[in-house]
Amino acid sequence: MKGKKAHVITYGCQQNENDSERIRGILLDMGYTTIDTNDDADLIIFNTCAVRDNAEQRVYGNIGALRNLKDKKPHMLIGVCGCMTQQQHVADYIKKRFSHVDFVFGTHAIYKLPQILYSAAEQRVFDLEEMEGIVENLPHNRESSVVATVSVMYGCNNFCTYCIVPYVRGRERSRKPEDIIKEVEGLAAQGYKEVTLLGQNVNSYSELPFSQLLNMVSEVSGIERIRFISSHPKDITNELIDTIAENPKVCKSLHLPFQAGSSKVLADMNRRYTKERYLEIIKSLKEKVPNIALTSDVIVGFPTETNEDFEHTLDVVRQVEFDMLFTFIYSKRKGTPAEKMEFALPAEEIKKNFDRLVSLQTEISARKNKALEGTVQKVLVEGYSKNNKEFLTGRTDGGKIVNFPEDKSLIGDIVGVKITNSAPWWLAGEVVTYN
Ligand code: SAM
Ligand code: SF4
Ligand code: F3S
């Protein structure tokens, strides 16, 4: 494959980003170089997300748009993988509808990519094999040289009634602590400063209490910051809260999806906590970690959600005052229990509720960021800002994005940035203290 060019396009969450880094690692080992455009590519791989319908429609649109390019360059291989294609009905649809797609594989088959590519040069390949184990030691071609994600567990056992993830990522499988530590040590040796431990529900990590794993990772010298995503409220322990409070390397931030404010809707979602329990966890977090930055995921318009239920979502947002929220309109997923539920509200009403939630959160985020103006924040410098190369960008301990003018190569350092300007989703400032 020497000299051939590959373009890997990623949709979805950090798990998929991490998978794409491994796909690129395998391709580089095979002799490919990786590029960021389709036109010059000899290989295009779509690593897809199935969590909502709009993500799926975007992928179909982009696959369809490649038909002409494939006609001009018949030797070019096009493949689709990831969460969408782990579903048989999607693989069947792609097979029928997009004859220019050469290969399809699911979330369990990344390690087989070389074989799949060799076979796809001869005939179309559809490989949705499921696998219970974990394949260690796949090569990894990481996006950043400063911050890295490390998967600690795969899959999900929670079966929230709206969610496709357990069907496309399989049952929970935890990596051995020694494999995780070895990976983190390798990252530290390469100069990485921050790791984010990844899993659909990291606090149901099964090899050890998750707080213990955090403490072990924090002992790796060179790693200065540790984050983790996502946590499920039903599995939050006092030990975890204490570890966030006490371990200086564990960032003072938590992403804790609450999904809905109404306890009735939470029960219909099979979330296994109530509004009261969620608020209790937040109270304990705020008591033990006073400056904790909190973020969450919320779904608006779950089928059984009424306007009265939705008021509880607004109430949670007002009480907690999250730093940031990821807000989603419910999307029906084939094969999930919620697919069969009747909608309590029409689509226009759901959209109105969604807009109310977004404007409430925008106001809270703007206010919280404004309050940081004039303060000095410790920022780990990740690299150049995507939009303006005269600026560097990094994150505060709480995970907020900070942009500031480049003055010398600070990438990889933790610097003190005085915040001079803010918006709901970012901060800006100037470096006042160096490492
Ligand atoms: N495992 C993580 C958790 O439980 O927090 C993340 C799950 S998912 C990858 C990310 C978010 O997508 C969820 O927290 C949820 O808010 C949202 N989501 C999942 N299924 C959805 C659906 N059918 N419609 C709309 N949003 C959905
Ligand atoms: Fe989906 Fe629930 Fe699992 Fe998160 S915990 S991935 S929302 S089923
Ligand atoms: Fe992630 Fe989407 Fe799959 S959110 S786990 S890439 S369905």
Side-chain angles (χ1 to χ4, degrees):
M1 303 298 171
K2 258 219 143 18
K4 292 206 169 180
K5 298 185 184 114
H7 183 201
V8 181
I9 304 155
T10 313
Y11 302 81
C13 65
Q14 284 173 303
Q15 248 100 41
N16 254 22
E17 303 274 354
N18 189 278
D19 284 348
S20 285
E21 289 179 346
R22 288 188 291 171
I23 290 171
R24 286 196 194 94
I26 294 172
L27 294 174
L28 290 176
D29 272 10
M30 290 177 75
Y32 280 95
T33 48
T34 55
I35 57 171
D36 290 332
T37 54
N38 288 335
D39 289 349
D40 295 332
D42 302 291
L43 167 66
I44 299 174
I45 299 181
F46 291 92
N47 187 12
T48 62
C49 169
V51 83
R52 283 170 290 276
D53 186 57
N54 53 8
E56 295 202 345
Q57 294 313 321
R58 226 159 15 109
V59 168
Y60 288 138
N62 292 341
I63 297 172
L66 287 181
R67 213 180 274 275
N68 287 343
L69 191 63
K70 176 79 175 181
D71 284 346
K72 275 192 241 151
K73 291 170 58 176
H75 79 278
M76 176 179 74
L77 290 178
I78 300 176
V80 191
C81 68
C83 293
M84 269 174 80
T85 50
Q86 191 62 53
Q87 304 168 94
Q88 189 65 51
H89 71 95
V90 174
D92 292 344
Y93 178 74
I94 292 175
K95 194 175 201 169
K96 212 166 107 204
R97 171 84 207 284
F98 301 107
S99 55
H100 60 297
V101 168
D102 301 285
F103 63 95
V104 162
F105 61 96
T107 54
H108 303 259
I110 291 175
Y111 73 101
K112 285 197 279 186
L113 182 58
Q115 286 144 270
I116 292 173
L117 285 175
Y118 286 121
S119 311
E122 305 293 323
Q123 61 185 26
R124 300 179 86 194
V125 179
F126 289 80
D127 187 337
L128 301 200
E129 182 209 35
E130 288 200 28
M131 191 202 35
E132 289 305 313
I134 293 175
V135 182
E136 288 290 346
N137 300 320
L138 289 181
H140 223 128
N141 177 242
R142 297 185 182 271
E143 289 279 339
S144 162
S145 56
V146 179
V147 297
T149 56
V150 174
S151 290
V152 298
M153 46 98 65
Y154 299 94
C156 182
N157 290 352
N158 291 319
F159 291 94
C160 302
T161 56
Y162 50 81
C163 185
I164 197 72
V165 171
Y167 305 88
V168 295
R169 288 274 171 177
R171 294 295 64 72
E172 283 179 4
R173 302 163 315 276
S174 292
R175 285 177 77 193
K176 297 263 172 265
E178 53 271 26
D179 291 329
I180 296 168
I181 297 299
K182 207 165 85 188
E183 183 173 344
V184 176
E185 284 171 347
L187 290 165
Q190 292 170 63
Y192 284 86
K193 296 288 165 54
E194 178 184 300
V195 290
T196 299
L197 307 185
L198 282 189
Q200 287 303 340
N201 180 10
V202 284
N203 42 5
S204 70
Y205 179 72
S206 64
E207 298 285 311
L208 296 168
F210 183 63
S211 51
Q212 206 173 316
L213 181 69
L214 283 174
N215 287 330
M216 282 170 68
V217 171
S218 76
E219 279 160 25
V220 176
S221 80
I223 296 300
E224 299 190 26
R225 283 183 171 182
I226 304 163
R227 303 184 189 279
F228 51 97
I229 191 168
S230 279
S231 301
H232 193 301
K234 79 176 168 56
D235 296 314
I236 291 284
T237 59
N238 288 333
E239 289 73 28
L240 179 62
I241 299 179
D242 291 342
T243 305
I244 303 172
E246 290 159 16
N247 190 320
K249 288 193 182 176
V250 175
C251 289
K252 308 303 167 221
S253 65
L254 186 66
H255 181 68
L256 193 62
F258 77 96
Q259 312 296 3
S262 148
S263 296
K264 186 203 94 200
V265 173
L266 287 171
D268 294 344
M269 288 177 158
N270 190 31
R271 289 290 290 179
R272 286 171 277 174
Y273 54 86
T274 59
K275 176 186 181 187
E276 291 68 33
R277 171 69 190 137
Y278 186 85
L279 292 173
E280 218 174 83
I281 298 168
I282 298 290
K283 185 163 171 263
S284 163
L285 275 162
K286 286 182 172 174
E287 271 166 18
K288 291 188 177 162
V289 198
N291 285 325
I292 191 159
L294 293 166
T295 56
S296 192
D297 294 349
V298 187
I299 296 175
V300 180
F302 182 80
T304 61
E305 186 174 75
T306 61
N307 281 333
E308 197 186 328
D309 291 318
F310 176 70
E311 291 300 324
H312 288 283
T313 293
L314 294 179
D315 185 45
V316 170
V317 172
R318 281 193 203 101
Q319 289 199 43
V320 178
E321 301 206 305
F322 294 99
D323 290 82
M324 186 146 106
L325 269 189
F326 298 88
T327 49
F328 308 106
I329 289 184
Y330 167 77
S331 171
K332 193 187 271 195
R333 302 288 69 204
K334 198 175 164 68
T336 60
E339 187 195 0
K340 304 267 176 322
M341 296 181 189
E342 304 251 338
F343 277 93
L345 291 177
E348 315 79 73
E349 199 88 3
I350 292 172
K351 179 70 174 56
K352 260 193 237 161
N353 287 343
F354 180 79
D355 291 344
R356 280 179 72 198
L357 175 65
V358 171
S359 65
L360 172 63
Q361 183 56 43
T362 307
E363 180 197 313
I364 294 170
S365 295
R367 173 157 40 85
K368 294 193 92 171
N369 281 357
K370 189 98 191 146
L372 295 176
E373 289 182 15
T375 66
V376 175
Q377 298 289 319
K378 281 192 169 168
V379 174
L380 172 58
V381 187
E382 293 182 18
Y384 289 95
S385 156
K386 279 205 182 94
N387 307 326
N388 185 344
K389 294 280 178 256
E390 286 170 18
F391 283 81
L392 289 175
T393 188
R395 283 176 194 270
T396 64
D397 188 277
K400 289 178 194 273
I401 292 173
V402 186
N403 299 316
F404 47 94
E406 201 243 2
D407 55 359
K408 58 178 166 171
S409 194
L410 299 171
I411 295 169
D413 287 354
I414 293 182
V415 293
V417 178
K418 184 165 184 185
I419 306 303
T420 52
N421 197 0
S422 71
W425 319 123
W426 51 260
L427 302 168
E430 56 204 39
V431 179
V432 289
T433 54
Y434 295 87
N435 213 354

